């Protein structure tokens, strides 16, 4: 009778621990308590992106970023090229810049498409007559240059969601090509398409549009004469920040060993956040606005591209005072135009193998249930096996009563053995969780959410079994 009760008690303890594991896992996956799960996921994603950047630098992309900075504006104003001497510019100034971007002296310097990352939410009286900019955009959309070549398409930032472009602006700018440039609720992730306005609002502005990176990548595909296969417009891209592959930025022998050593010390609690990489190592060609107005027209084509290879241009404001700067895992805080450029680099380099962000909490829940059940059953099996060995030893011969010193040594060995077994189980669980991450990141191209914090939950339960010492002893 005592044996049956003992077995029943053990089974109940096992079931209680398993149910607690299940409940805690479901809580972490679905509720994200105190933001712990999302914070751990963000930290892991940044470390994965940073580690990949140092281990696998990439060749530069067919992308040129034109920086509209204060020094360029002031210099161009003093030389009579621009009307404004500070930001914001006049509409006539924007028209001149766009004309410079699409009208090139050298045909090989003409981009396949241009994204002008300036949001004209509504007409601004102090900037002049918006119709001047609209006439230039209309001429670009319908006309050809002096060599009878059609101008490249120009995309404007179209806002999105709660910050749409106004109907008046859309009409005055001759219904330009718009891309989604504002979105909420995605954190550091980058959507390939987004709504430009509320669905229940009747306006002339399109309801949705591709993001800048997706629109420019499609233009690159057209210029190359092939399709953009394997990419779905409704996907959300988990941007991977990378380093340019060259002697200064992507030298493996000088960067990787030092990075690995610093990362190990950081995980052990020594050292602060990793140092930011230089923006000179971005895998894009960077041009200042003032260079466009040089006598030779500047050089938009990236110098590392061969003649005739298509490229695209993104032009945006680089001014800290505008507060359009974003934290990145690899570089310092960067202006918003570089967020679009890096997402485009991911699409151009990876094609359909870009890292997607998917809502897979139901799959995570199922995997969690299966893995915790496996771990608990395996652990219970080894406990029963150890108990049988102890009982067999006790039944073989009469053991002499140990001294107090012997009892202390036996208790210490028992505690160390229990600690070692639980540490082994914890290590096994950590390896399983990270194996799932590697599978999803490297093979399935999916960024998991709500998993890393489970390591901490399992740690608590592996080091507590809910039973007193007397109940555990045979």
């Amino acid at each position: 009778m005592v044996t049956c009760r003992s077995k029943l008690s053990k089974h109940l303890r096992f079931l209680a621990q398993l149910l607690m594991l299940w409940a805690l896992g479901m809580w972490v996956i679905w509720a994200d308590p105190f933001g712990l799960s999302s914070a751990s996921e963000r930290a892991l994603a940044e470390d994965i992106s940073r580690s990949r950047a140092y281990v696998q630098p990439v060749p530069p992309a067919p992308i040129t970023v034109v920086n509209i900075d204060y020094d360029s504006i002031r210099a161009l104003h003093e030389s009579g090229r621009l009307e404004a001497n500070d930001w914001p510019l006049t509409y006539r100034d924007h028209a001149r810049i766009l004309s410079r971007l699409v009208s090139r002296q050298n045909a090989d310097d003409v981009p396949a498409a241009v994204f002008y990352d300036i949001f004209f939410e509504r007409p601004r009286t102090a900037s002049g007559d918006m119709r001047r900019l609209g006439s230039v955009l209309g001429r670009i959309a319908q006309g050809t240059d002096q060599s009878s070549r059609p101008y490249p398409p120009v995309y404007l930032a179209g806002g999105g969601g709660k910050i749409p472009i106004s109907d008046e602006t859309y009409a005055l700018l001759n219904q330009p090509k718009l891309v989604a440039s504002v979105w909420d609720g995605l954190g550091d992730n980058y959507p390939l398409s987004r709504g430009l306005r509320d669905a229940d609002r009747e306006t002339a502005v399109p309801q949705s549009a591709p993001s800048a990176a997706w629109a420019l990548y499609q233009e690159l595909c057209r210029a190359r004469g092939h399709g953009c296969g394997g990419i779905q417009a409704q996907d959300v891209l988990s941007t991977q920040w990378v380093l340019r592959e060259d002697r200064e930025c992507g030298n493996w022998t000088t960067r990787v060993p030092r990075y690995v050593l610093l990362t190990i010390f950081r995980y052990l609690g020594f050292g602060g956040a990793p140092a930011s990489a230089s923006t000179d190592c971005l895998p894009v060609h960077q041009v200042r606005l003032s260079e466009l107005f040089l006598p030779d027209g500047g050089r938009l084509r990236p110098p590392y591209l061969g003649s005739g290879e298509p490229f695209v241009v993104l032009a945006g404001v680089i001014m800290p005072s505008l507060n359009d700067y974003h934290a990145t895992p690899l570089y310092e805080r960067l202006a918003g135009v570089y967020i679009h450029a890096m997402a485009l680099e991911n699409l151009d380099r990876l094609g359909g193998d870009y890292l997607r962000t998917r809502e897979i909490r139901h799959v995570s829940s199922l995997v969690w249930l299966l893995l915790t059940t496996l771990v608990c059953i395996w652990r219970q099996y080894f406990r029963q096996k150890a108990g049988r060995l102890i009982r067999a030893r006790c039944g073989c011969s009469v053991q002499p009563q140990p001294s107090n010193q012997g009892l202390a040594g036996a208790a210490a060995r028992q505690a160390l053995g229990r600690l070692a077994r639980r540490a082994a189980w914890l290590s096994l669980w950590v390896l399983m969780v990270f194996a799932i991450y590697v599978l999803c990141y490297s093979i399935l191209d999916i960024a998991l959410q709500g998993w890393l914090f489970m390591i901490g939950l399992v740690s608590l339960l592996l080091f507590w079994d809910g039973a007193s010492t007397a109940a555990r002893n045979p």
Side-chain angles (χ1 to χ4, degrees), residues 97 135 140:
I97 294 172
S135 63
I140 292 174

Side-chain angles (χ1 to χ4, degrees), residues 370-411:
L370 293 176
L371 286 180
T372 49
T373 303
L374 174 63
V375 169
C376 288
I377 291 176
W378 198 356
R379 183 182 176 195
Q380 185 72 5
Y381 167 76
F382 277 98
R383 279 184 174 179
Q384 293 176 354
K385 185 177 180 180
R388 287 195 297 267
L389 290 175
I390 293 175
R391 287 192 295 271
R393 287 181 181 178
C394 294
C396 291
S397 60
V398 178
Q399 301 291 333
Q401 292 294 327
S403 62
N404 290 337
Q405 185 176 2
L407 287 174

Side-chain angles (χ1 to χ4, degrees), residues 143-151:
T144 59
D145 60 16
Q146 296 178 354
S147 302
S148 300
R149 294 186 305 265
Y151 288 115

Side-chain angles (χ1 to χ4, degrees), residues 178-180 192-196 206-211:
L178 299 178
V179 293
L192 298 188
S193 63
R194 212 64 176 173
L196 293 180
Q207 182 175 340
S208 63
S211 60

Side-chain angles (χ1 to χ4, degrees), residues 121-137:
E121 183 178 0
R122 55 180 58 89
R124 183 175 181 272
T125 304
S127 294
D129 188 355
M130 184 177 277
R131 282 188 289 265
R132 292 182 179 274
L133 176 58
S135 63
V136 171
L137 288 170

